[in-house]
Amino acid sequence: MFYTGMDNNIAFTSRIRLVSPEEFRNVTGKISNKNFVAYPWTIKESVLAESAFTTDIFDCTVCGITDGQKVLLNHICPTMRENKNFRTVADFIKQKIDLTNENLQGFLLGSKNNSASPDSSLIFENFVRFFKEHSIPFSQFRSGNGTYDVAYSSIKDEWIISDKTANSVSRQSDPFLILKKLFDKTEISELDEVCR
């Protein structure tokens, strides 16, 4: 269960950074492998920890929920039969975290609009509805063309995103504009900020 002793009047700001594949490996090399959300990417592989990461996000949806102390990280594959019933996913989340905690913040990345994964968009939308129903502010990165890796560190209160298929990181470019180019839909929560 998430830590709930924080002052409910304090809102924390999570950083979101786009990093190179090399920097992603350097950062996640310091995170325990037990905090890796691995294949077959069902709710059973989810991780609740201070830091967590997952890789190879193509048509899957990655959902992260944090209170600034820990993160619950899910990597949900649209082709796995176990992931078709979102009620099971929602019930799992409700068992792991206190949804009445006013410090919760969310993160969504993934989904593809293609006939090879017809449930991909539906799974993403189910998470969007879940966040809205529970009044959890969230940032979202939807339907990119690439394959992505994602990590969260509560020590830095930071999400990192790596585009595995291209070197999208440029010191000369605004990272928010790069993210907008990478994804069909990029929305940043008022509680998050995109950084270099």
Side-chain angles (χ1 to χ4, degrees):
M1 193 64 73
F2 268 178
Y3 171 77
T4 56
M6 295 172 69
D7 182 340
N8 284 341
N9 296 321
I10 296 174
F12 59 95
T13 302
S14 295
R15 295 166 23 116
I16 298 170
R17 282 195 313 127
L18 182 64
V19 301
S20 67
E22 181 182 12
E23 186 174 351
F24 186 88
R25 285 189 297 275
N26 289 340
V27 171
T28 56
K30 299 170 188 166
I31 300 174
S32 170
N33 280 339
K34 69 179 182 177
N35 295 351
F36 174 62
V37 183
Y39 182 83
W41 303 316
T42 69
I43 199 67
K44 294 174 195 164
E45 286 74 43
S46 299
V47 170
L48 177 63
E50 286 184 0
S51 298
F53 68 105
T54 191
T55 59
D56 301 319
I57 305 149
F58 181 70
D59 56 355
C60 302
T61 293
V62 167
C63 170
I65 304 174
T66 181
D67 64 355
Q69 303 293 313
K70 287 191 174 182
V71 64
L72 175 64
L73 191 65
N74 310 306
H75 184 157
I76 304 299
C77 178
T79 61
M80 300 302 290
R81 192 180 64 221
E82 304 95 298
N83 297 333
K84 305 279 186 196
N85 182 354
F86 191 76
R87 178 175 286 167
T88 303
V89 174
D91 287 346
F92 178 88
I93 293 170
K94 290 173 185 176
Q95 290 171 9
K96 296 292 181 183
I97 62 174
D98 175 8
L99 293 175
T100 65
N101 183 343
E102 293 180 9
N103 294 304
L104 296 181
Q105 294 180 30
F107 176 95
L108 283 177
L109 182 143
S111 177
K112 286 280 189 287
N113 298 319
N114 63 43
S115 58
S117 301
D119 294 318
S120 180
S121 292
L122 178 62
I123 288 172
F124 194 96
E125 270 307 313
N126 284 335
F127 278 111
V128 169
R129 273 194 298 277
F130 181 86
F131 281 143
K132 289 180 177 177
E133 285 170 9
H134 296 284
S135 301
I136 300 171
F138 66 101
S139 292
Q140 63 173 304
F141 306 90
R142 183 172 186 162
S143 298
N145 289 324
T147 301
Y148 305 94
D149 299 335
V150 167
Y152 175 80
S153 166
S154 64
I155 296 161
K156 293 185 175 183
D157 189 16
E158 179 177 77
W159 291 98
I160 61 170
I161 302 167
S162 176
D163 178 0
K164 292 181 77 130
T165 52
N167 188 3
S168 304
V169 181
S170 168
R171 296 285 176 214
Q172 279 72 44
S173 300
D174 181 329
F176 177 71
L177 295 179
I178 297 171
L179 287 167
K180 282 187 73 77
K181 287 179 185 174
L182 285 177
F183 298 94
D184 293 349
K185 184 173 190 175
T186 298
E187 289 184 356
I188 306 302
S189 163
E190 60 183 16
L191 299 176
D192 292 338
E193 62 179 350
V194 177
C195 303
R196 287 195 187 282

